[in-house]
């Protein structure tokens, strides 16, 4: 697979996953969106001003592995 960062992101629709702040206009969110035209490739970005324009890209398999590891390490239950 070519670099995930070579894929165009235009048209991606992002979903917010928020929490850990007081809410309102300063709520901290991680935004996740599927990259259009790619199979199982996603971009993650921070909604805070300091993170504007910075994104990370992962395959579905990479995100799934991260999620499983995070849940286990934190002792969370789904």
């Amino acid at each position: 697979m070519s670099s995930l960062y070579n894929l165009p992101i235009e048209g991606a629709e992002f979903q917010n996953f928020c929490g850990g702040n007081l809410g309102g206009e300063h709520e901290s969110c991680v935004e996740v969106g599927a990259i259009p035209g790619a199979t199982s490739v996603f971009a993650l970005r921070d909604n805070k001003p300091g993170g504007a324009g910075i994104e990370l890209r992962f395959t579905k398999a990479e995100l799934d592995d991260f999620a499983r590891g995070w849940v286990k390490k934190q002792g969370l239950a789904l």
Side-chain angles (χ1 to χ4, degrees), residues 22-56:
L22 299 177
E25 66 181 85
H26 300 293
E27 180 68 49
S28 297
C29 301
V30 173
E31 301 175 335
V32 180
I35 297 178
T39 302
S40 299
V41 178
F42 299 86
L44 280 73
R45 60 187 187 190
D46 187 348
N47 78 328
K48 292 185 288 302
I54 300 171
E55 65 185 45
L56 299 171

Side-chain angles (χ1 to χ4, degrees), residues 51-64:
I54 300 171
E55 65 185 45
L56 299 171
R57 297 182 180 194
F58 299 95
T59 64
K60 180 184 179 306
E62 291 169 329
L63 285 176
D64 288 349

